[in-house]
Amino acid sequence: MKNKNIEHIISLSNDLRWQIGDEFHDNLAEGIYADAAEIVKDSVHKTDEKNKLRLDARIDKIITSKIWGFPIMFLILALVLWLTIIGANYPSSMLAGLLLDTVHPALKAFASSIGMPWWLDGFLIDGVYLAVAWVIAVMLPPMAIFFPLFTLLEDFGYLPRVAFNLDHLFKLSGAHGKQALTMSMGFGCNAAGVVATRIIDSPRERLIAIITNNFSLCNGRWPTQILIATIFVGAVVPNSFSSIASLSAVIGIAILGIFFMFLVSWALSKTVLKGEVSTFNLELPPYRPPRFWKTIYTSLIDRTIIVLWRAIVFAAPAGAVIWLISNVYLGDQSMAAWLISSLDGFGFLLGLNGVILVAYIVAIPANEIVIPTILMLTVLVTGIDGGAGAGVMFELDSVSATGDVLRAGGWTLLTAINLMLFSLLHNPCSTTIYTIYKETKSVKWTVVASILPVIMGFIVTFLVAQIWRLFI
Amino acid sequence: MEVKAKSACETCSHFNAEGLKRLGVNTTEVDFVVALAGNPNTGKSTVFNALTGLRQHTGNWPGKTVTRAEGAFEYNKEKYKLVDLPGTYSLLSTSEDEEVARNFILFGKPDVTVIVVDASRLERNLNLVLQILEITDRAVLCLNLMDEAERNHIEIDTRTLARYLGIPVVPTSARYDKGIPELIQTISEVANGKIICKPHRIKNIPKNIENAVQKLSLEIKKEYPEIANSRWIAFRLLEGDEHIIELLRTGEFV
Amino acid sequence: MNTYNPITALLIFLAISVFAYLLFRPYKGWYWLIKTNSKSNGKIVVEDILKLLYHSENANKHLNLNDIIRTLKTNDTLIVDSINKMAAHELIFMEGDAVKLTKSGSDYALRIVRAHRLWEKFLAEKTGFDRAEWHERAERKEHELTKDETDILASKLGNPQFDPHGDPIPTNTGKIAKIKGTALSELTVDTIGRIIHIKDKPDIIYKQILAEKIHIGSLIRVVDKTASRIVFHSEGESFVLAPIIAGNITVSILEKDVVVEENLARLSILKEGETAKIIGISKEIRGESRRRLLDLGFVKGADVRLDLLNPLGEPNAFLIKGTSIALRNNQASKILIKKV
């Protein structure tokens, strides 16, 4: 009985909907706004009509002007990145000194004093602890600088204007102007960049922003780029130009990343994402002076700590795996050596080597530990002096000493350039992959976002290697 | 100046400052559920933080809160759970945030819905307010960002506004903790039934739609006499909202 | 590694790329061809014949075997086989040399038509595909949807009555609404009407109409008519069509007292600081995009001002109901205004 009546209501609503036609939504929206206008007319009074040229409008005129808009934007972005990279140096080395050079030996001494078996000691302290300590030392300081700066700009209201200024460029590649911001956020951390895509409310453009965020060189990769560029690119030019040359190489890689971001955005919007709904709207909110300390505090709690925690959760098992593969023997070779020799051929084709590929496989959880892993593995397979033992990641204090180890591992300028390219174009770290899955709730798009960049990395390094060998 | 304004209010007869405890994320065993709705960029999260003592990030950027956040406070020995809904312009579309907000107000059955609006952009914000008032009859309008409105020389006659809307109106500047005590007091009065709301119903609808809505709403009332928002259900049915049709069949929302 | 040589490596890479391209290029890639072929090709032909017969019988034309072979571009033996199979299953019967639908044949055809039109409606409302693609995609999808899936789709879409071209969608009991209207080419000067249907066949004419940006639901007023052309105003623009094209557009005539706003302009022509009143949103914007614009306050009667010009030309920001909202040109050009 009840059910029959309900079905009657539903079919009645169908009939009525047909009678009203497709104007329903328009009429309803207009009706509501008409009510709103009536209410406002009686209850709101604007006393000063002449105050049209608000402060907001004057600021907007400048930062969206043809002449000043772009220079201001680039200046701010450059300043934020510069503050992050330079400002993070000192606390980073302090943290490294504390966690790696003081706490680590202390832990080792403690372990041996209580007679811990060597494998447990190695697994826990050299593996898990070291990886976690490394991630904290490299990741925490830049994020603790980058995110608050970014959040201050956000709270002030500047970021929507950046999206406004740049939207046309992004539209050409089928993306949304707000992607400029998620991309910039990716320069800090891709996982945070992926979370930030929530501000894009059009499904198609949001997926594009998520999948292409990995092309922003993140915090964990800047140090790798800078180190390798300093050792190899800086060395090919006269001494006085070496810092300029290595700096331009790093910036070149970052710009190449932006280029790939546009290219892939365009390709995605024309192919697999063609059918996703696409809408556009961008509100330019009024400027509000940020409350400085509150902003710093909340951005540390909300962004930095959460991202760092996720990274630690993923880095710990990676440390364990790195230690295990270097210490578990299959026949007369460690698993690491065995993996390296089996990947050497493929690595050579890409202008890389087995060590690098193995390092990238075990370091999926965190880009921060790629260089220490490479150094450890290089020492392991070449048998040269240095390092701290099988499965113990290390870094050298001097850049030239690092260069010596790598050259002993057979590195050339080509290896260096291709490593820089591969560091840009490879799968996102597992923290980011996990975040992509949480944001899209789709296995399909997570797989696309993870596989696509690494395939591009293979193709690009392969082509560079062949052409290099042909002509140089 | 800010401090003065605040203390002036804490001595006034209504607000009982001793009775307030901010409970952060501890949301167990609550007496009342309060939903926090509003347009993006109206300082909704700031109001949320001011009420609960939490420090959710509040960006000057539309659409920050996508998932809903929860917090709690205690006032006069009664516990209130506060649910921060995603900021939306409307409840009529199909986007994910709007669905979350719409479904919570309709099915989460909050005891009070606090609607946060930007005082200097009242007309635009009323779009959402009028929609919410079709769904629930226990609401409080939080007229936020009063400081900005004053700076822009906008005066709002809150009594006229309250009379039109049929719900209490509380002016606040949550960034500076102004008006929060009054807001808490008003929430508790609505929750305890001391203030009875007579919410505004949308009037300016073409006749053919109004007739259809009345016809449907009558039929729905026949079937579910206890339902308070049959008009809104009728709106959704005319829109063809699959979710509502499903729930109507199962009768789950009653 | 002894045989390694960069040129060989590059050549192998090239070969693999070409192969991958041939395999996976859109629609014509071997992978896709095999995938579609593996689905019963026979079923598709049968359903296409049913549809063809259904549409011709509606137009009171009767087709013989040769007409069918000529119209459908599949190989002849497959068609003959299918016809025999269909006759055996009593979907069709022969009357003279004309092929005719039985009751169950026409029910079947109606189901396919229903699936096709519902899918077009779905593409229009819930996806971002360009409207030039709707028909082709629906042509493929109609063979894949089962009856139950079609019904679920219909209820998801709110049991729509018409597809985006204005064609009626048959109900699941086979009822079909009538289109009451007049061909645009038959209207006299000064007639006011609303476009209710645009024929999506033949393809050439349909594409031409799409290119003209004429859409269902918009109001028109005929201003001039000669033997060779018909001129009408719609949404603030003037259109000139040849009668043969206008014949594919159906209009429902409205009472004279309906006011068609003249001298409309588009929001995109506004200059910095200029103010205008919104008259409406063009019917070309539909689905989610339309709802979003309405929610943002772009409703009839609202005042709008060009607030901020973009250094790159678009999007420009418009001040509406106290807030600055940026719109791209393809949106602004579909919002109808009257300058004040």
Side-chain angles (χ1 to χ4, degrees), chain A residues 225 253 256 416-425 460-461 464:
Chain A
Q225 299 282 348
I253 292 283
L256 193 68
I417 289 174
N418 272 1
L419 175 72
M420 288 170 79
L421 286 170
F422 195 71
S423 153
L424 173 72
L425 301 171
V460 169
T461 51
V464 169

Side-chain angles (χ1 to χ4, degrees), chain A residues 17 23 26 164 282 466, chain C residues 4 158 283 290 310 314 326:
Chain A
R17 186 172 338 115
E23 300 274 278
D26 288 39
F164 177 75
L282 175 62
Q466 310 316 315
Chain C
Y4 170 77
K283 295 288 173 185
R290 186 181 190 87
N310 193 290
E314 71 163 336

Side-chain angles (χ1 to χ4, degrees), chain C residues 289-340:
Chain C
S289 318
R290 186 181 190 87
R291 279 197 279 269
R292 204 31 76 79
L293 285 176
L294 290 167
D295 290 343
L296 289 171
F298 290 91
V299 291
K300 197 189 285 172
D303 289 322
V304 63
R305 187 161 67 92
L306 180 54
D307 191 37
L308 212 52
L309 279 172
N310 193 290
L312 295 179
E314 71 163 336
N316 293 316
F318 298 93
L319 192 68
I320 180 135
K321 295 194 188 285
T323 300
S324 198
I325 302 225
L327 295 182
R328 288 177 173 172
N329 284 345
N330 59 2
Q331 294 172 298
S333 65
K334 279 156 204 153
I335 294 176
L336 311 171
I337 54 159
K338 202 160 196 172
K339 276 207 212 172
V340 290

Side-chain angles (χ1 to χ4, degrees), chain B:
Chain B
M1 212 242 358
E2 285 164 34
V3 179
K4 212 166 128 194
K6 193 172 161 187
S7 58
C9 211
E10 281 175 2
T11 55
C12 72
S13 60
H14 291 300
F15 182 66
N16 170 14
E18 255 104 82
L20 176 68
K21 261 190 236 158
R22 293 181 163 101
L23 298 171
V25 287
N26 177 12
T27 59
T28 47
E29 289 168 32
V30 291
D31 299 299
F32 299 109
V33 176
V34 180
L36 204 59
N39 277 32
N41 230 348
T42 51
K44 199 159 58 67
S45 299
T46 319
V47 173
F48 177 86
N49 290 346
L51 288 174
T52 59
L54 287 173
R55 288 196 164 65
Q56 232 198 15
H57 175 64
T58 58
N60 186 3
W61 181 265
K64 279 301 303 179
T65 322
V66 171
T67 44
R68 44 175 236 236
E70 297 187 354
F73 65 89
E74 190 182 297
Y75 182 62
N76 287 346
K77 302 223 166 86
E78 283 165 329
K79 264 187 91 174
Y80 294 79
K81 179 166 97 170
L82 203 60
V83 179
D84 191 12
L85 300 174
T88 58
Y89 296 105
S90 157
L91 296 177
L92 298 171
S93 295
T94 50
S95 78
E96 199 184 333
D97 341 353
E98 290 192 21
E99 224 157 289
V100 171
R102 185 167 62 218
N103 289 346
F104 189 81
I105 300 174
L106 193 52
F107 309 121
K109 296 238 175 302
D111 297 290
V112 185
T113 302
V114 177
I115 315 167
V116 184
V117 299
D118 178 347
S120 47
R121 291 171 186 75
L122 189 58
E123 186 180 345
R124 145 178 312 278
N125 283 244
L126 282 178
N127 179 34
L128 179 72
V129 175
L130 295 176
Q131 291 177 30
I132 292 175
L133 293 188
E134 286 285 343
I135 305 179
T136 174
D137 52 6
R138 293 215 274 184
V140 175
L141 188 80
C142 169
L143 203 53
N144 197 23
L145 300 170
M146 282 304 284
D147 50 321
E148 267 181 42
E150 269 164 39
R151 242 191 343 265
N152 292 322
H153 306 278
I154 294 169
E155 270 173 30
I156 297 174
D157 179 352
T158 50
R159 288 175 62 181
T160 311
L161 187 60
R163 208 175 52 237
Y164 262 112
L165 295 175
I167 56 168
V169 174
V170 185
T172 63
S173 296
R175 271 161 71 89
Y176 307 104
D177 277 332
K178 275 197 224 167
I180 297 300
E182 292 87 337
L183 182 61
I184 291 173
Q185 175 68 25
T186 314
I187 291 172
S188 91
E189 281 175 32
V190 173
N192 286 304
K194 286 186 200 144
I195 299 179
I196 306 291
C197 305
K198 274 207 199 96
H200 174 99
R201 299 292 185 207
I202 301 163
K203 293 178 306 198
N204 281 302
I205 309 177
K207 263 217 186 69
N208 60 337
I209 295 183
E210 185 58 47
N211 289 343
V213 168
Q214 275 175 14
K215 219 170 175 181
L216 264 179
S217 135
L218 209 68
E219 292 289 324
I220 297 166
K221 271 213 185 113
K222 253 194 242 159
E223 210 46 51
Y224 298 113
E226 62 278 40
I227 212 167
N229 36 31
S230 57
R231 245 171 80 95
W232 175 260
I233 306 270
F235 279 132
R236 296 310 297 167
L237 283 179
L238 289 175
E239 189 90 47
D241 184 331
E242 186 65 12
H243 195 68
I244 294 279
I245 293 176
E246 207 42 58
L247 287 163
L248 203 58
R249 283 205 172 105
T250 55
E252 255 169 43
F253 57 87
V254 186

Side-chain angles (χ1 to χ4, degrees), chain C residues 195-211:
Chain C
I195 297 180
I196 54 168
H197 181 229
I198 297 174
K199 247 196 237 171
D200 57 1
K201 275 168 284 190
D203 213 33
I204 302 177
I205 292 183
Y206 179 58
K207 290 257 160 75
Q208 209 167 331
I209 295 173
L210 284 191

